[in-house]
């Protein structure tokens, strides 16, 4: 496969409305997670909070990564104002990030180029705030009678939303419409769709986008992933599967960490065939050398990661890139903070990288912003791109007792705990990133940054 250049990037992460703000936050070692508020769920969170794990209809962990103080101007997008205004943040964040990425690439308004550009967006197929409201009449009709019977009050009825407050039916189309609106707003090609590969969605989207470029079906591609589920639904879900830390400690790559912090946000990149980017003098932020995808297939459990599946993704990535794992300077781990997940990843990294005697530095940006689920890969990707371009690796924060044993790949000495200059003086920097999702969707991506690409940049 021809190498794919990343020529534009955007993000909307907790405490960061663009990549520069995100880079400043992580270099300043900022923790952008905080307790959930009324603004997120629309009601006092203490009504649903119970510190004891396992109680029905309650969540036992309040911390998360949230998008706050986001201002959206629908007049900036080439869409009917009444349509855009009626949509929830799933659509607004998608439009914002797509426009920001294309603008960063230098091609905003260039319709000759954009007409041959597609978009693939990873989305989480879970209810959003407004899609939940659309379904509330169905919930009400289903349980009204049962509650009335329990209360022995046949006149009981759950409160309904005023007709004037009923959301637009377009808010139900969370699994496809965001990509369609991006394409319409920016006058892109007919190649536009959403995918859900769980927490690997970002890298799956980039892999598919790279295929469209490599086969000549597109000349430019937008790819990325968004996490924008109903915060209350999400908190109930992860409390139900006991994904949050029962001890209150979520620290990726730390021995005491016992769960993850769910977060929201979006990131996108603009992709182009590397040879075309060089020819056109594009600013090449980084180059995609290889992407390995795999699925665990039948494993122990839906929520139980599998070493063999992860290793298969590694193997496919390095086979495609035609490089050795020893060439990797830095590994951005998936590292959710769960004991099972982080231990499994440590073992799979040791099995694969260890056999090549590779010893890259390692870390995870989830310590700064939490786990963006479907959008998680875009957090690591943004960190990796800016790290290579600045020649500095920001630390993985909040580590008290580093995971891993001495003389292993993920070991206390290899985890970046302080701001660290790039570990080699070569003309080429290389980063690998992993993302693993529920159900065994595994992905591993390899990026590089060469001095020649920087020198040849004209834009």
């Amino acid at each position: 496969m021809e190498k794919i250049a990343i020529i534009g990037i955007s993000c909307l992460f907790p405490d960061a409305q663009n990549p520069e703000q995100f880079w400043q936050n992580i270099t300043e070692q900022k923790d952008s997670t905080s307790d959930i508020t009324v603004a997120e769920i629309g009601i006092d969170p203490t009504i649903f909070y119970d510190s004891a794990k396992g109680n029905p209809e309650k969540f036992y962990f309040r911390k998360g990564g949230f998008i706050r103080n986001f201002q959206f101007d629908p007049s900036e997008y080439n869409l009917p104002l009444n349509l855009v205004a009626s949509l929830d943040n799933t659509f607004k964040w998608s439009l914002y990030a797509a426009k920001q990425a294309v603008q960063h690439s230098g091609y905003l308004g260039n319709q000759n180029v954009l007409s041959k550009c597609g978009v693939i967006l990873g989305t989480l197929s879970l209810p959003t705030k407004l899609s939940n409201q659309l379904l509330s009449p169905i919930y009400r009709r289903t349980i009204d009678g049962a509650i009335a019977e329990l209360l022995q009050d046949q006149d009981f009825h759950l409160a309904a939303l005023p007709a004037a407050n009923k959301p637009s039916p377009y808010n139900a189309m969370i699994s496809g419409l965001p990509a369609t609106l991006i394409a319409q707003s920016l006058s892109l090609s007919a190649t536009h769709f959403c995918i859900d590969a769980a927490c690997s969605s970002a890298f799956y989207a980039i892999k598919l986008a790279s295929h469209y470029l490599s086969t000549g079906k597109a000349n430019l591609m937008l790819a990325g992933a968004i996490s924008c589920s109903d915060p209350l639904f999400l908190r109930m879900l992860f409390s139900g599967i006991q994904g949050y830390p029962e001890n209150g400690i979520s620290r990726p790559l730390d021995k005491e960490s016992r769960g993850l912090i769910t977060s929201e946000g979006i990131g996108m990149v603009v992709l182009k065939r590397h040879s075309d980017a060089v020819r056109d003098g594009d600013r090449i932020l980084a180059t995609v050398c290889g992407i390995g995808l795999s699925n665990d297939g039948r494993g122990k459990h839906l929520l139980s990661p599998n070493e063999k599946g992860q290793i298969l993704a590694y193997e496919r990535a390095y086979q495609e890139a035609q490089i050795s794992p020893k060439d990797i300077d830095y590994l951005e781990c998936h590292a959710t903070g769960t004991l099972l997940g982080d231990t499994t990843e440590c073992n799979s990294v040791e099995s694969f990288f260890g056999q090549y005697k590779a010893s890259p530095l390692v870390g995870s940006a989830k310590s700064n912003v939490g786990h963006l689920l479907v959008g998680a890969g875009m957090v690591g990707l943004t960190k990796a791109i800016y790290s290579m371009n600045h020649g500095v690796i920001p630390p993985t924060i909040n580590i008290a007792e580093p995971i891993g044993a001495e003389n292993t790949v993920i070991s206390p000495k290899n985890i970046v705990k302080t701001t660290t200059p790039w570990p080699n003086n070569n003309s080429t920097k290389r980063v690998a990133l992993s993302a693993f999702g529920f159900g065994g969707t595994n992905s591993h991506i390899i990026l590089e940054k060469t001095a020649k690409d920087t020198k040849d940049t004209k834009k």
Side-chain angles (χ1 to χ4, degrees), residues 34-258:
S34 58
D35 284 354
I36 195 167
T37 67
V38 173
E40 277 75 56
I41 62 175
I43 196 169
D44 184 356
T46 60
I47 294 173
F48 297 100
Y49 175 71
D50 189 329
S51 60
K53 183 173 70 173
N55 290 327
E57 305 305 321
K58 297 287 184 179
F59 58 76
Y60 62 91
F61 188 71
R62 288 186 282 196
K63 208 169 188 182
F66 305 103
I67 304 300
R68 293 171 175 151
N69 304 314
F70 172 70
Q71 301 296 321
F72 182 81
D73 183 357
S75 66
E76 293 183 5
Y77 303 88
N78 186 29
L79 294 167
L81 291 180
N82 58 341
L83 168 64
V84 180
S86 70
L87 299 174
D88 74 8
N89 283 333
T90 300
F91 305 92
K92 294 174 181 176
W93 295 356
S94 299
L95 290 168
Y96 172 84
K99 182 180 178 181
Q100 183 187 111
V102 173
Q103 187 170 33
H104 192 249
S105 75
Y107 285 109
L108 186 64
N110 188 332
Q111 290 310 309
N112 183 51
V113 172
L114 295 182
S115 64
K116 298 179 180 68
C117 176
V119 56
I120 303 175
L121 183 66
T123 57
L124 192 58
S125 302
L126 295 177
T128 63
K129 280 186 178 180
L130 294 190
S131 70
N132 250 348
Q133 290 181 22
L134 279 170
L135 294 175
S136 63
I138 300 174
Y139 300 153
R140 209 168 51 250
R141 287 195 300 271
T142 302
I143 66 175
D144 256 4
I147 296 176
E149 185 176 342
L150 285 171
L151 296 176
Q152 297 184 343
D153 179 2
Q154 296 307 309
D155 294 325
F156 172 84
H157 294 285
L158 290 168
L161 279 174
N165 293 340
K166 289 183 179 178
S168 163
Y170 287 112
N171 287 287
M173 304 176 189
I174 55 176
S175 294
L177 189 58
T180 301
L181 292 182
I182 288 171
Q184 290 181 357
S185 174
L186 297 171
S187 300
L188 307 184
S189 74
T191 301
H192 49 79
F193 56 90
C194 294
I195 63 169
D196 184 351
C199 303
S200 286
S201 293
F203 297 163
Y204 271 67
I206 292 173
K207 176 73 168 182
L208 288 170
S210 299
H211 172 76
Y212 274 88
L213 293 169
S214 298
T215 57
K217 295 178 180 178
N219 291 339
L220 203 69
M221 288 294 294
L222 265 168
I226 180 173
S227 182
C228 187
S229 298
D230 183 316
L232 179 57
F233 176 92
L234 196 66
R235 203 145 294 268
M236 290 292 191
L237 170 64
F238 276 85
S239 291
I241 64 175
Q242 300 185 10
Y244 293 123
E246 73 275 7
N247 62 354
I249 299 175
S250 180
R251 300 174 185 152
L253 303 178
D254 189 289
K255 290 179 180 178
E256 297 300 314
S257 186
R258 291 296 181 272

Side-chain angles (χ1 to χ4, degrees), residues 155-454:
D155 294 325
F156 172 84
H157 294 285
L158 290 168
L161 279 174
N165 293 340
K166 289 183 179 178
S168 163
Y170 287 112
N171 287 287
M173 304 176 189
I174 55 176
S175 294
L177 189 58
T180 301
L181 292 182
I182 288 171
Q184 290 181 357
S185 174
L186 297 171
S187 300
L188 307 184
S189 74
T191 301
H192 49 79
F193 56 90
C194 294
I195 63 169
D196 184 351
C199 303
S200 286
S201 293
F203 297 163
Y204 271 67
I206 292 173
K207 176 73 168 182
L208 288 170
S210 299
H211 172 76
Y212 274 88
L213 293 169
S214 298
T215 57
K217 295 178 180 178
N219 291 339
L220 203 69
M221 288 294 294
L222 265 168
I226 180 173
S227 182
C228 187
S229 298
D230 183 316
L232 179 57
F233 176 92
L234 196 66
R235 203 145 294 268
M236 290 292 191
L237 170 64
F238 276 85
S239 291
I241 64 175
Q242 300 185 10
Y244 293 123
E246 73 275 7
N247 62 354
I249 299 175
S250 180
R251 300 174 185 152
L253 303 178
D254 189 289
K255 290 179 180 178
E256 297 300 314
S257 186
R258 291 296 181 272
L260 52 80
I261 297 177
T262 50
S263 300
E264 58 191 19
I266 183 173
M268 298 195 78
V269 288
V270 179
L271 305 172
K272 194 174 186 178
R273 288 183 292 271
H274 185 268
S275 58
D276 290 353
V278 172
R279 177 198 66 198
D280 298 336
D282 294 310
R283 175 180 50 187
I284 299 176
L285 303 172
T287 301
V288 179
C289 303
I291 306 176
L293 307 179
S294 72
N295 193 280
D296 290 351
R298 183 178 179 180
K300 294 179 182 178
H301 188 272
L302 176 70
L303 307 182
S304 179
N306 184 301
E307 284 182 44
K308 290 183 179 178
Q310 294 179 4
I311 291 171
L312 182 56
Y314 301 149
E315 291 173 345
R316 289 173 172 170
Y318 291 93
Q319 182 178 17
E320 183 174 86
Q322 292 294 294
I323 65 170
S324 167
K326 291 185 71 173
D327 296 325
I328 300 300
D329 302 315
Y330 173 71
L331 172 64
E332 176 75 6
C333 298
H334 185 57
T336 62
T338 64
L339 181 62
L340 177 60
D342 285 6
T343 300
T344 302
E345 185 172 10
C346 277
N347 293 338
S348 65
V349 166
E350 181 60 27
S351 296
F352 180 75
F353 286 83
Q355 67 179 312
Y356 292 95
K357 301 190 185 311
S359 187
L361 296 177
V362 299
S364 175
K366 290 183 181 66
S367 60
N368 298 94
V369 297
H371 187 358
L372 266 68
L373 306 174
V374 165
M378 297 310 302
V379 173
L381 194 78
T382 306
K383 172 185 172 181
I385 288 172
Y386 273 73
S387 292
M388 286 194 293
N389 280 273
H390 287 83
V392 167
I393 303 175
T396 297
I397 63 173
N398 298 332
I399 293 182
E401 292 290 331
I403 200 170
E406 295 295 338
N407 301 316
T408 59
V409 180
I410 299 181
S411 66
K413 71 175 183 178
N414 284 352
I415 297 174
V416 179
K417 298 181 288 296
T418 59
T419 301
T420 302
W422 202 262
N424 75 54
N425 295 318
N426 299 334
S427 60
T428 300
K429 303 182 181 77
R430 289 195 176 96
V431 170
L433 305 95
S434 295
F436 308 124
F438 285 169
T441 52
N442 304 305
S443 59
H444 189 73
I445 185 171
I446 302 165
L447 305 179
E448 71 177 22
K449 176 71 176 180
T450 68
K452 185 177 185 301
D453 282 340
T454 303

